[in-house]
Amino acid sequence: MATRTRRSQRRTEALSRQRIVEAAVQLLDAAGEGGLTFRALTERLATGPGAIYWHVANKSELLDAAADAVVAAAVALKPAEPPGAPPGEIRAVALGLFDAIDEHPWLATQLAMQLSRSPWGSVTTRIFESIGQRVRALGVPDGNLFTATSALVHYILGAVGQNAANTRVDGLHVDRGEFLDAVSTAWEELDPDDYPFTRAVVDQVREHDDREQFLAGIDFVLTGITALHLPSGQACTPPAA
């Protein structure tokens, strides 16, 4: 009996929650949310369902844990990477989330769901804390911190979510260049009298870089925060290239 207990403990320790979450992320990356089943997970980990249920109660908890693990890695800044000033760190965190959702397309849906259904959860609070600390470091008054941070977070999640959606159709990856070319070609055929602006920016749509456009949006929001809430003379200028 003692031997059986020790073996069970060793199996539980070997099959850690971290290993389960890592395997879940791999399944989500390969086949999306539909591909994450406990049966697929047990096959990947070469274990029984009971060992997995020891660590996670259900698929919902597993999705939350997978999203949290990816987000935690995305917002963790390495000391030598970003510029020390808060604007540079905000851009680095935002770009980390952009790249994470680009690499893990399923994450966009999970973030949107968690932001609306459980804003008290670890994923939402982790993102708000990471951005909010740096907004405070900018010198934004306490009474405006929530609004300024919310504007940044909503822009980040909305933009990266849209970018992820534009790279996949019916769950299949779409070449970004081909997608932009198709959009531009369709816009070129619009009536110039009804859509003068849309026709005028066709070439910009076809040739733009998603990451550069995303960071430009961050700069727009930071410039607005500077103008509204920071003492005159302070600016959130982009770091030198």
Side-chain angles (χ1 to χ4, degrees), residues 158-182:
V160 296
Q162 185 62 54
N163 183 71
N166 288 344
T167 59
R168 301 184 78 83
V169 175
D170 296 329
L172 300 176
H173 179 75
V174 175
D175 180 86
R176 187 62 174 159
E178 293 178 0
F179 174 82
L180 292 176
D181 186 64

Side-chain angles (χ1 to χ4, degrees), residues 6-110:
R6 285 194 296 270
R7 289 175 179 172
S8 177
Q9 288 174 341
R10 284 197 296 270
R11 285 197 299 269
T12 300
E13 291 167 357
L15 185 65
S16 64
R17 181 181 174 90
Q18 181 180 347
R19 279 191 60 207
I20 294 171
V21 171
E22 289 172 352
V25 170
Q26 292 169 2
L27 288 170
L28 287 163
D29 289 346
E33 184 178 339
L36 179 60
T37 64
F38 274 75
R39 179 176 181 179
L41 202 55
T42 57
E43 292 176 354
R44 179 173 288 267
L45 293 169
T47 188
I52 295 175
Y53 281 115
W54 176 269
H55 295 281
V56 290
N58 49 49
K59 182 175 179 177
S60 178
E61 181 182 335
L62 190 56
L63 283 168
D64 288 350
D68 189 48
V70 174
V71 167
V75 302
L77 299 183
K78 297 178 181 178
E81 283 191 350
E89 292 188 354
I90 288 171
R91 294 183 189 93
V93 170
L95 199 56
L97 289 167
F98 181 94
D99 290 340
I101 292 179
D102 187 54
E103 184 178 352
H104 310 280
W106 55 270
L107 183 60
T109 300
Q110 290 303 311

